[in-house]
Structure formats: C-alpha cells, structure tokens
Amino acid sequence: MGNVHLEVVTPQKILISQDVESVIAPGSLGEFGVLEGHVPFLSGIVPGELRFTVGGKTERFAVASGFAEVSENKVSILVDAAERARDLDLERARKALDRAKERLAKRGAEDLDFVRVEASLRRAMARIKVAEKQGP
C-alpha cells in the first residue's frame, strides 16, 4: 500500500506534515477515509476524532471544526484546533463538557450564545472520546 501526505494545520501551527498510510476524518457528511489514489474532494470537518496510520500504528487527534482537501495524494486538514491524543487532559475535557451542559440547561437566558455553547460541547465530547481511547 502506498502513502498519502497528511497535513494538519491550525491557526497557531502545523501539527503534522508527513506521509501516512491512511487517514480517517470526521467529515460534515460523515466519517471518510483516504488512501493513496483517492479522488480529489473537499469536505467540512466537524469536531471529532482524526485517525491516521503510520508504520502500521494508528495515531489520533481530537479536532475542532474546519475543512479538508484531498488532492494528488495529499490530505490537508485545516481546523480551528487540534490536539494529539497523548496531550489531552481527560479531566479538563470532562469539566468543559459539564460547563457546556450547564449553559445549555440555561438556554432561556438572553446572553446565551447557543452556537458557541454547542460547539464547546462537541469539542469536549470529541476530546473525551479520543482521550478515553488513548488510555492512561
């Protein structure tokens, strides 16, 4: 099996730029996978788990919203935020989830920005999912 070049980019930095065997990303229309020779396409990225395989080993990132472009054996993932599974703080993610749930429970409050709170909730859930798969 051949390789594709993966780049994961946030506004702060390029988190990864390397050849990988496969990529699985959380697209706006559902999870999608990319192998060598994939047809070109664009997709929205939703908060979730980004997985890729290097040397037969799967690595994971928790990603926020953004976009993906697949073209000429290259996958570019441009997201607001991304964290490697090994760098995630599970307790911090759980507290963020609790805060978001509390704010959603007060949905009648005039100062509530529903879209931002919902995005926080989804990011926290993605971090928890990825961190739990990583283990201690």
Side-chain angles (χ1 to χ4, degrees), residues 19-34:
D19 288 343
V20 302
E21 295 157 12
S22 65
V23 178
I24 299 174
S28 55
L29 296 177
E31 196 173 70
F32 64 88
V34 178

Side-chain angles (χ1 to χ4, degrees), residues 6-97:
L6 172 64
E7 286 190 346
V8 177
V9 181
T10 69
Q12 292 76 30
K13 63 183 172 179
I14 297 173
L15 292 171
I16 186 170
S17 179
Q18 76 179 70
D19 288 343
V20 302
E21 295 157 12
S22 65
V23 178
I24 299 174
S28 55
L29 296 177
E31 196 173 70
F32 64 88
V34 178
L35 298 171
E36 179 184 33
H38 199 290
V39 299
F41 78 97
L42 297 171
S43 175
I45 294 291
V46 296
E49 178 185 43
L50 171 70
R51 305 186 299 278
F52 57 94
T53 305
V54 178
K57 182 182 174 202
T58 300
E59 296 191 38
R60 302 171 193 282
F61 277 77
V63 295
S65 299
F67 297 93
E69 177 184 22
V70 177
S71 175
E72 299 177 16
N73 287 326
K74 181 177 180 183
V75 181
S76 298
I77 306 287
L78 310 167
V79 289
D80 295 331
E83 298 172 86
R84 291 181 186 272
R86 66 177 178 254
D87 297 334
L88 289 168
D89 181 339
L90 185 55
E91 188 58 34
R92 187 175 134 231
R94 287 184 175 142
K95 287 179 182 176
L97 179 66

Side-chain angles (χ1 to χ4, degrees), residues 46-48 63-65 92-105 113-129:
V46 296
V63 295
S65 299
R92 187 175 134 231
R94 287 184 175 142
K95 287 179 182 176
L97 179 66
D98 290 342
R99 282 192 307 273
K101 284 180 178 179
E102 287 174 17
R103 291 197 64 203
L104 283 175
D113 182 350
F114 180 75
V115 174
R116 279 185 40 195
V117 174
E118 184 180 34
S120 295
L121 180 76
R122 290 177 189 264
R123 282 191 307 270
M125 289 178 2
R127 285 184 183 120
I128 290 168
K129 176 183 174 183

